[in-house]
Amino acid sequence: MMKILVIGALFTASLYFAQTYPVSAIPENLKKNADVVIRKDHKTVLINKIDEIKYQYNNVTTVLSKDGDSKAEVYIPYKKGDHISDVKVTVYDESGKKVKSFSKSDFGDFANNSEGIFYSDSRILALPYTPAHYPYTIDFSYQRTDENTIFIQDFVPFYSQNTSLEDAQFKIINKSGIDLKTKVYPSKYNYAEVSVADNGNEKTYSYKNVPAVDNVLMLPQPEKILPKVSFTLTRFNLEGRQGTLNGWTDFGTWYYNNLIEPVSVSTPAIKAEVAALKLQGSTEEKVRKIYQYMQSRTRYIAVGLGIGGWLPMTPDEVQKKGYGDCKGLTNYMKTMLNEAGIPSHYCVITSGLSDISFDPDFPSMGGNHAILMVPTEKGNIWLENTSQQTAFNHLGYRTTDRNVLAITPKGIELISTPSYTAEQNKEKQTLKINLAEDNSINGEIQFAYTGSQYDMNMSYTYLAPKERMEAVKKRFDVLNFDKAEIKDFVNDKDNAVIRFSLDFKANHYSKTAGNNLIFRAVPIFTNNFYKTDENRELPFEIGQSFQDEYEIDFAIPKNYKIDELPQNLLITSEFGTYTLTLVKNGESLKVKRFIKINKGVFPKEKYNDYVSFRKKTLNGDNSKILLTKI
């Protein structure tokens, strides 16, 4: 009997230990709003010397549904000179039972050229895996040795919505004798907290039980919500080039001398190009002419070669080939300005929907984009060099309202990019509309867009006329178009304005009620659906201020008169202002509609107030006008 009991106990124990990371062990609060749960995310960073840093990764992720597959992809980015070892992958089923295991030999080795990258030094080891069932868990670990010590990844709980975290630990061991600087950035919204254990040259940071950030409407980017820890060495190596990083000044000098100045050499061909432009007038006029010339003969192709992908292509290479990435095109433009005797600054920026700036008090290598700034007595001129269509001295909404690292021979200056007001981010509509007895309307609409609304309509400039027409009809499908024709489409690249007119006929605009006609006051309006959320857990963000102005002239059909007009409206709140005015003039009606929305991050408690404000503006747009048959 005892023997049977022992065998039974051993069997039970072996069954228990064979089950690793069962889904049933995940706390319920971490399953809420999650596609994946990071069960374990442990990283050890060992800094041995100025040109050797070792990383040990172990990540265990449970994928709850198909939507989480992309967040659990198994891959190892690397470059020439990196050493990858101890690669292990194990897949478990829902109960925690092992399904399959893999080693480094099962990985494919590919060029790490994501969409838009033409060529790059980067490579990637990737493991193709198609799950048979959900949920499943992937345990993935490896070690990597890198000679570049300028980059040490921030420690954050996760990088995307609908991801939760059970346990994360970041251990950094500094044996190099070089000072290691760290900075903890707490969550502004107390969403998670980092724990710190400091043991001299060994520091350990950790997060526990961080719930998923749900992908709800108007959610700020995760980097604005979550905490992070940043790291940087005061002496570093990048592809054999060593430097110091005690402050922005010494780092900027190194950056200029190693990454900018060596590749900023002009050529006789570039000198001839600039001379042929026969520049005259003010500095602004000269910069405009060079910039628009550069746009006319280059195109954007992402390139990731040279000193870790941070070294720009030479101006000569860009000039001959007619293409480059943001670094190469910016460097080419800078070199042409130099030939014209106009100084400019190569600037590194963090481009993205959220306005993320560099910390003036914590210098580090960063950013993901390069632009050019030309200082003048009348103010700074900003040049986005990757687009053939962007207007002169105009930055898009992905690069406004944040700072840049302006690289100069004397160091780095942190300079703010423009912040556009609501009045600058404007849409103007002028409509002349004929109402018909058959419930249709016809007429002409003139559109004009500036500021961030110029950016949002930039895609039209890349389309053929027929494609552009289809895109406009789809965008304004609140009108039931029967016929539509775009006329006079203009991208004014001197003033950053997109203009066009639309001749159209639309059916079923008005409704018949006996002998009367009823129609809404505003033909084209947003048909967004705004819904209250009593359980809102996070703040909401209005990413851009903007202003819309509509002037609508309705010509009413013969034998009809305007019988009833809604009252004029004025709606004000901290989120913006809305007005609607209606003026009757014989057989015509003039409607003016104005809305201004204020940019900002607002507390969750005010979300329903915002919804209420927007519902009132929608009700205003849908105000009904009654025509009575005479």
Side-chain angles (χ1 to χ4, degrees):
M1 184 66 179
M2 181 63 69
K3 184 176 181 181
I4 293 173
L5 288 174
V6 171
I7 293 173
L10 289 173
F11 176 78
T12 302
S14 65
L15 184 64
Y16 175 81
F17 286 111
Q19 293 178 330
T20 307
Y21 300 108
V23 175
S24 60
I26 300 174
E28 287 302 314
N29 70 309
L30 298 186
K31 294 179 182 178
K32 182 182 177 182
N33 302 323
D35 299 327
V36 302
V37 180
I38 301 172
R39 314 292 294 277
K40 176 183 177 182
D41 182 16
H42 285 196
K43 298 182 180 72
T44 299
V45 179
L46 177 59
I47 307 168
N48 287 323
K49 51 186 179 178
I50 194 170
D51 58 356
E52 183 180 293
I53 187 167
K54 291 186 177 182
Y55 299 90
Q56 182 174 325
Y57 301 89
N58 184 199
N59 181 279
V60 181
T61 299
T62 294
V63 180
L64 299 176
S65 68
K66 187 175 179 62
D67 292 336
D69 282 340
S70 62
K71 299 175 185 177
E73 292 177 342
V74 179
Y75 62 91
I76 305 171
Y78 75 99
K79 63 187 182 311
K80 185 179 179 181
D82 288 355
H83 177 66
I84 310 296
S85 64
D86 297 333
V87 180
K88 297 177 183 177
V89 180
T90 305
V91 181
Y92 301 95
D93 66 11
E94 180 177 3
S95 67
K97 182 180 178 182
K98 179 179 173 180
V99 175
K100 198 167 184 178
S101 60
F102 303 90
S103 64
K104 185 177 179 181
S105 61
D106 297 306
F107 282 63
D109 193 344
F110 308 97
N112 191 11
N113 291 359
S114 58
E115 184 179 357
I117 297 182
F118 185 49
Y119 52 89
S120 169
D121 281 336
S122 299
R123 298 198 61 81
I124 187 169
L125 294 172
L127 176 69
Y129 177 72
T130 303
H133 303 284
Y134 296 90
Y136 65 95
T137 298
I138 292 184
D139 185 347
F140 174 35
S141 62
Y142 68 96
Q143 293 189 40
R144 179 173 66 89
T145 303
D146 193 347
E147 67 175 0
N148 294 329
T149 53
I150 194 171
F151 308 106
I152 301 176
Q153 188 178 28
D154 289 342
F155 179 47
V156 298
F158 40 77
Y159 289 92
S160 60
Q161 294 97 340
N162 305 116
T163 300
S164 64
L165 171 69
E166 199 167 346
D167 172 48
Q169 178 180 288
F170 190 102
K171 181 182 291 186
I172 188 160
I173 305 168
N174 183 16
K175 295 183 177 181
S176 67
I178 303 169
D179 287 341
L180 174 70
K181 292 185 178 180
T182 64
K183 186 168 184 177
V184 176
Y185 298 84
S187 168
K188 295 179 181 178
Y189 307 103
N190 299 316
Y191 197 77
E193 187 175 350
V194 59
S195 299
V196 184
D198 190 341
N199 186 21
N201 290 333
E202 181 176 318
K203 296 178 173 65
T204 303
Y205 303 84
S206 58
Y207 301 109
K208 297 283 187 182
N209 298 319
V210 183
V213 175
D214 193 15
N215 191 16
V216 293
L217 291 174
M218 304 181 71
L219 182 73
Q221 295 297 303
E223 56 261 46
K224 283 193 171 182
I225 297 170
L226 298 168
K228 73 172 181 178
V229 187
S230 294
F231 310 87
T232 190
L233 287 169
T234 57
R235 293 194 298 118
F236 62 84
N237 179 68
L238 177 62
E239 302 285 327
R241 289 167 168 81
Q242 297 183 1
T244 58
L245 217 170
N246 291 301
W248 287 116
T249 300
D250 59 349
F251 179 54
T253 303
W254 175 89
Y255 201 121
Y256 182 86
N257 290 335
N258 287 271
L259 300 180
I260 305 300
E261 196 272 337
V263 291
S264 298
V265 180
S266 186
T267 66
I270 294 174
K271 293 178 186 290
E273 274 187 311
V274 175
L277 294 176
K278 297 180 180 178
L279 301 172
Q280 293 181 337
S282 65
T283 298
E284 181 178 353
E285 289 170 327
K286 293 175 182 178
V287 175
R288 184 196 309 270
K289 192 165 187 178
I290 296 173
Y291 177 71
Q292 293 180 346
Y293 166 78
M294 183 274 298
Q295 285 182 299
S296 71
R297 66 174 311 278
T298 60
R299 68 188 191 279
Y300 172 79
I301 292 179
V303 178
L305 298 177
I307 311 184
W310 289 82
L311 186 72
M313 294 170 60
T314 64
D316 179 55
E317 196 175 4
V318 175
Q319 193 264 341
K320 288 178 179 176
K321 294 180 177 179
Y323 64 72
D325 63 3
C326 62
K327 304 184 301 294
L329 294 170
T330 296
N331 189 38
Y332 175 49
M333 181 66 198
K334 175 177 170 58
T335 304
M336 286 196 293
L337 289 174
N338 287 342
E339 286 297 339
I342 301 171
S344 61
H345 299 323
Y346 181 102
C347 297
V348 178
I349 190 170
T350 302
S351 172
L353 295 177
S354 285
D355 48 350
I356 305 297
S357 285
F358 297 96
D359 184 346
D361 300 321
F362 193 80
S364 62
M365 186 70 148
N368 59 10
H369 188 50
I371 58 177
L372 197 67
M373 189 272 282
V374 185
T376 73
E377 292 181 357
K378 295 182 178 180
N380 297 331
I381 295 173
W382 296 93
L383 302 177
E384 169 58 66
N385 302 288
T386 60
S387 171
Q388 295 172 307
Q389 299 296 335
T390 294
F392 169 74
N393 197 17
H394 174 82
L395 293 182
Y397 57 85
R398 297 179 66 91
T399 50
T400 53
D401 203 18
R402 66 203 73 193
N403 64 20
V404 303
L405 305 181
I407 317 297
T408 77
K410 296 181 180 180
I412 282 176
E413 293 182 48
L414 274 70
I415 300 174
S416 296
T417 61
S419 179
Y420 297 146
T421 64
E423 291 77 10
Q424 291 172 306
N425 298 331
K426 183 187 291 187
E427 175 188 25
K428 178 70 184 257
Q429 287 187 19
T430 305
L431 303 88
K432 296 186 181 301
I433 293 177
N434 302 304
L435 290 154
E437 289 188 69
D438 64 357
N439 304 122
S440 68
I441 57 174
N442 65 78
E444 179 189 62
I445 310 174
Q446 295 179 348
F447 299 91
Y449 300 98
T450 59
S452 64
Q453 302 218 51
Y454 170 81
D455 305 322
M456 293 171 185
N457 288 273
M458 181 67 66
S459 58
Y460 291 144
T461 65
Y462 297 97
L463 300 177
K466 186 175 181 180
E467 294 173 322
R468 186 182 298 144
M469 184 67 261
E470 291 303 313
V472 169
K473 288 170 67 175
K474 184 177 181 180
R475 176 179 174 187
F476 300 127
D477 61 0
V478 68
L479 287 176
N480 185 17
F481 285 112
D482 180 40
K483 297 177 182 178
E485 180 186 0
I486 290 179
K487 299 189 307 181
D488 305 322
F489 184 92
V490 174
N491 174 18
D492 183 346
K493 293 166 67 174
D494 289 333
N495 300 295
V497 185
I498 285 178
R499 301 186 187 89
F500 62 93
S501 298
L502 184 70
D503 284 347
F504 75 97
K505 179 184 177 185
N507 296 323
H508 311 299
Y509 182 71
S510 62
K511 292 183 179 180
T512 301
N515 290 327
N516 302 330
L517 293 178
I518 300 173
F519 63 95
R520 68 175 180 268
V522 180
I524 293 178
F525 67 100
T526 176
N527 56 355
N528 290 342
F529 179 71
Y530 295 96
K531 184 179 179 181
T532 58
D533 184 355
E534 301 301 331
N535 300 309
R536 182 88 186 192
E537 297 178 341
L538 288 167
F540 64 101
E541 181 176 23
I542 302 174
Q544 293 288 325
S545 300
F546 67 89
Q547 181 171 303
D548 295 345
E549 298 177 8
Y550 299 176
E551 293 186 4
I552 310 156
D553 285 311
F554 287 103
I556 66 175
K558 291 182 179 179
N559 303 321
Y560 281 83
K561 67 176 182 178
I562 301 171
D563 192 41
E564 293 182 11
L565 282 180
Q567 290 185 338
N568 293 338
L569 288 175
L570 169 61
I571 306 169
T572 60
S573 82
E574 64 180 305
F575 311 112
T577 303
Y578 175 91
T579 62
L580 184 73
T581 59
L582 304 95
V583 179
K584 181 169 59 174
N585 183 18
E587 294 182 351
S588 68
L589 171 68
K590 180 180 285 291
V591 177
K592 289 188 176 182
R593 185 252 197 192
F594 170 92
I595 187 168
K596 176 183 177 182
I597 299 294
N598 301 323
K599 173 181 178 177
V601 178
F602 299 90
K604 61 183 180 180
E605 291 80 9
K606 294 186 176 182
Y607 181 73
N608 289 339
D609 294 337
Y610 174 75
V611 170
S612 175
F613 168 67
R614 293 314 303 262
K615 282 184 174 180
K616 290 176 183 177
T617 67
L618 285 177
N619 290 338
D621 291 343
N622 278 295
S623 297
K624 297 300 187 289
I625 298 163
L626 176 66
L627 301 182
T628 303
K629 195 163 188 178
I630 301 172

